[in-house]
Amino acid sequence: MESDNDVALDIIITNVVCVFRTRCHLNLRKIALEGTNVIYKRDVGKVLMKLRKPRITASIWSSGKVICTGATSEEEAKLGARRLARSLQKLGFKVKFTDFKVVNVLAVCTMPFEIRLPEFTKSNRPLASYEPELHPAASYRIKNLKATLQVFSTGSITVTAPSVQFVATAVEQIYPLVFESRKTAR
């Protein structure tokens, strides 16, 4: 297999984290008593609310800031955030859905080969670091994309970036680098 041939890699998005503001003060006690699928974390000063469709968990603060986690696409994250804002409106709050932003995307991608991590790290310093005593993966940072990739010797790569587009770009950038450090069959 040549590295210049196009290889189709499956990038599986496992988590999309987004934030939005309600532009009103939220009474957490009222949400905890009247809301459904709610856990009141009084010691931390927030309420956790779960939605079944799309399957997301929201952390709600009294300031009106809401963080949603668990979506598997940017569209699903926005739909879940809007549904959550609507359920807060139904509890009697004057919620305005504003400042929606996807802040983090976590994805997994598996290369069709195994990777020699010491060789990969040596040829890609200072962007790559590998501490086998601390973590089984080599860490690779792409500053302009704000992406961090955890490269495992099995060929599995975990990508954390601010958007789905940046995740795809990060995988495209890392592929030729890991291809050069692939394990060859003896």
Side-chain angles (χ1 to χ4, degrees), residues 110-140:
T110 306
M111 296 293 150
F113 47 79
E114 292 187 347
I115 301 159
R116 286 196 196 98
L117 293 182
E119 187 183 305
F120 168 76
T121 310
K122 204 178 277 181
S123 58
N124 292 297
R125 280 206 174 97
L127 300 173
S129 67
Y130 178 47
E131 305 279 341
E133 302 85 17
L134 302 176
H135 191 58
S139 184
Y140 186 83

Side-chain angles (χ1 to χ4, degrees), residues 14-186:
T14 55
N15 190 12
V16 176
V17 181
C18 65
V19 296
F20 72 93
R21 297 200 176 274
T22 60
R23 289 180 67 187
C24 69
H25 178 80
L26 301 171
N27 182 343
L28 298 182
R29 192 166 182 273
K30 181 178 178 170
I31 296 169
L33 291 172
E34 298 175 21
T36 54
N37 295 328
V38 174
I39 303 166
Y40 189 15
K41 303 264 186 181
R42 210 159 100 211
D43 52 324
V44 196
K46 71 177 178 182
V47 168
L48 294 177
M49 186 183 268
K50 293 185 184 235
L51 291 182
R52 288 204 181 113
K53 208 167 187 182
R55 190 184 291 285
I56 64 163
T57 302
S59 298
I60 305 167
W61 282 270
S62 60
S63 65
K65 183 179 181 180
V66 181
I67 299 178
C68 300
T69 59
T72 54
S73 71
E74 290 181 354
E75 297 77 30
E76 195 177 279
K78 187 157 191 172
L79 176 70
R82 286 191 159 285
R83 283 221 172 117
L84 204 105
R86 176 69 69 219
S87 64
L88 291 173
Q89 282 177 339
K90 286 178 179 171
L91 291 173
F93 299 105
K94 293 184 174 12
V95 171
K96 285 190 176 74
F97 184 81
T98 58
D99 302 335
F100 175 83
K101 187 175 157 192
V102 172
V103 290
N104 199 344
V105 176
L106 186 73
V108 179
C109 179
T110 306
M111 296 293 150
F113 47 79
E114 292 187 347
I115 301 159
R116 286 196 196 98
L117 293 182
E119 187 183 305
F120 168 76
T121 310
K122 204 178 277 181
S123 58
N124 292 297
R125 280 206 174 97
L127 300 173
S129 67
Y130 178 47
E131 305 279 341
E133 302 85 17
L134 302 176
H135 191 58
S139 184
Y140 186 83
R141 296 190 193 282
I142 303 175
K143 283 216 167 73
N144 63 331
L145 296 177
K146 293 185 181 142
T148 302
L149 296 92
Q150 298 292 332
V151 182
F152 292 87
S153 62
T154 58
S156 180
I157 297 177
T158 305
V159 187
T160 310
S163 74
V164 172
Q165 183 57 52
F166 284 4
V167 166
T169 309
V171 170
E172 283 173 20
Q173 282 187 24
I174 196 104
Y175 184 80
L177 304 176
V178 294
F179 187 83
E180 285 178 14
S181 302
R182 73 189 184 281
K183 285 183 184 171
T184 49
R186 298 194 184 262

